[in-house]
Each structure stands twice: as structure tokens, then as C-alpha cells.
Amino acid sequence: MLTLSPLPALADNYIWMLADEMRGTALVVDPGEAAPVLDVLEARNLRLTAVLLTHHHPDHIGGVAGLLARFPGTVVYAPVDERIPNAHTRVGDGDRIAIESPAAQFDVIAVPGHTRTHVAYYGEGVLFCGDTLFSLGCGRLFEGTPAQMLASLDRLAALPADTRICCGHEYTLANAAFAQRIEPRNEALRLRREQARMLREAGTPTLPSLLADERAANPFLRVDVMDAPPELPQQAWRAGRVARFAALRSAKDGFRA
Ligand SMILES: [Zn+2]
């Protein structure tokens, strides 16, 4: 039986931890800093065995060296990218990684868009997607094209509906404001926004979310099904799904709630 926990880090990052409390082992995903992980490992009497990295940004890898210093036996998995030091096993699309303890297997999915070498890890009913898919949003396009990011999101959206979505940041409320501007009559979205407000007021993470709920309310997964939003260029909406996605992404880049 594995337990899944989001550990808040830096300004609004989550470091995801998957732990086997019986065997006293844990893995973490995208440790942007070491201290929050070390604190939880100590409090729960856990030993770190593996680190999964999704992409090279410092707020996702900054804690790796500090974790290795404390737990030198930890195996670090990362995509092929010279900007990520301290990795033992390089992974790419289609790879399957098996971790002995906590016992877990993950399929590696290449998801270029936010960065060119970004990967996601899917297994145990959980998706670790870094800065590709967010709750009610998606990552910015720093190194990829809209077509690449849309193809990446298509692959994630095709996973089982009950997949728990573990994103790299707590962005749900800010994303919800934009999403509601785009789809003001989406009832599933209205409910998600209310629920997120209550969770944040109580200091609780809004994650993980469920893939089924993202399909119903995340505008970036809905370019094929939503009505043309009045505030986006209607020409783009008629020009096909990549143009729709590009128009949505650039509208979000300029959006202030
Ligand atoms: Zn990033």
C-alpha cells in the first residue's frame, strides 16, 4: 500500500512523494529543494530510494544534490538533457522503470512543449507530469511549439479517466479564473473553482486532480469540444485544433485575473 503526498516547496511548487510506510521507503518527484523532503523523511522515518525528474528547471531539480548527500544510495531518473546533472539513469519515451521499494513501475512518456526534453511518469494510477499538464491549465511554451504541446497533452488526456494528476505547481485557482473567462457556462468548471477556493482557504492542496475532471473543465484539453470563446480570434477557432490551442495559450500568457 503506497501513500501519495504533495510536499509544498519554494513559492508554489509541489514535490511529490510516494512512500511505502511498512517498508520505510520513499521516492520523490522533482525535488526543487532538499529541506522539505528531508524533514518529511525524518518525521515519517523513511529512507529515500529514488528520485524522478521531469525537466531541467531549477525549481524541479535544485534539491537533488542535497538529497544525494544524505541518501547516497538513491537512484536518480531523468530525461536525456545535459542541463540535468546528478542523474544515474537516463529515460526516454516508451521506457518502463521498475523501482523495488517502494514497489512501483512507471511508463515514461515524452511530453515536449514546456521544455524540449520534458518527460512524464505514469504508473500505479498516478501521473507525474511536471509543468506539462496543470489542474485547469497547462505549462508555458518555453522551448516547444503549440503543435508539440498539444500532442503531448493529447497523450496524457488519453490515459485512464481515474488517473490522479500530480502537477508541479499549485496553480489551480489562477488557472480557474482564466478557464472560466473562456468557458463561462461550464458547470463542471464552476464547481471545480468553488471546491479549489475552499481547499485553499483551508490551506489544503488542490492536487492531485482526476483526469476525468480535467477533461471536463481544463480548457487546454477541450479545444475539440468547447464553443468558440468570444474573446479569442474567431479566425483561429476556424483554422483547426493547433491554431485553437495556440490562441488559448497566448491568451493565457497575457491574462491577468
Ligand atoms: Zn518548468
Side-chain angles (χ1 to χ4, degrees):
M1 184 66 183
L2 302 179
T3 56
L4 176 69
S5 328
L7 314 184
L10 301 168
D12 49 26
N13 282 74
Y14 286 127
I15 301 166
W16 288 93
M17 177 180 281
L18 199 60
D20 182 335
E21 311 278 346
M22 294 286 285
R23 294 171 76 183
T25 52
L27 66 83
V28 293
V29 184
D30 286 356
E33 53 181 341
V37 178
L38 294 172
D39 289 349
V40 171
L41 291 170
E42 185 171 286
R44 286 159 60 177
N45 200 19
L46 297 166
R47 177 170 57 88
L48 188 69
T49 59
V51 171
L52 311 184
L53 301 176
T54 64
H55 68 294
H56 74 279
H57 286 157
D59 61 319
H60 293 254
I61 68 172
V64 173
L67 294 175
L68 285 174
R70 173 68 184 77
F71 293 96
T74 301
V75 179
V76 179
Y77 298 84
V80 181
D81 190 319
E82 70 286 351
R83 298 170 294 186
I84 305 178
N86 295 317
H88 307 100
T89 302
R90 298 288 175 171
V91 298
D93 192 52
D95 287 348
R96 169 166 290 193
I97 61 178
I99 291 153
E100 201 185 298
S101 185
Q105 291 194 7
F106 298 97
D107 292 318
V108 179
I109 306 170
V111 285
H114 178 68
T115 71
R116 61 182 165 77
T117 63
H118 200 304
V119 298
Y121 300 89
Y122 170 68
E124 314 304 323
V126 172
L127 176 71
F128 298 116
C129 49
D131 291 353
T132 297
L133 175 61
F134 287 123
S135 174
L136 304 179
C138 76
R140 282 177 187 264
L141 304 184
F142 287 122
E143 298 179 2
T145 63
Q148 277 179 322
M149 187 60 147
L150 182 57
S152 295
L153 292 173
D154 285 344
R155 292 186 69 187
L156 301 184
L159 293 170
D162 62 353
T163 302
R164 289 185 287 172
I165 307 297
C166 301
C167 322
H169 292 269
E170 177 62 66
Y171 286 164
T172 308
L173 274 183
N175 287 341
F178 173 75
Q180 240 183 350
R181 183 75 62 86
I182 295 298
E183 279 198 288
R185 280 180 294 279
N186 183 327
E187 181 61 12
L189 172 58
R190 192 186 64 76
L191 292 171
R192 283 285 303 285
R193 191 178 186 185
E194 265 178 31
Q195 177 197 46
R197 271 202 196 106
M198 288 193 292
L199 288 168
R200 294 313 290 154
E201 275 166 21
T204 307
T206 61
L207 301 172
S209 65
L210 268 188
L211 183 55
D213 293 338
E214 294 305 324
R215 289 184 195 147
N218 186 328
F220 295 97
L221 301 187
R222 296 174 54 74
V223 293
D224 299 319
V225 295
M226 73 164 81
D227 296 335
E231 47 283 282
L232 295 190
Q234 296 310 294
Q235 211 177 339
W237 217 252
R238 287 190 299 270
R241 62 196 306 272
V242 174
R244 291 177 179 192
F245 178 80
L248 264 182
R249 187 57 260 180
S250 83
K252 176 67 165 67
D253 289 343
F255 177 77
R256 296 289 172 274

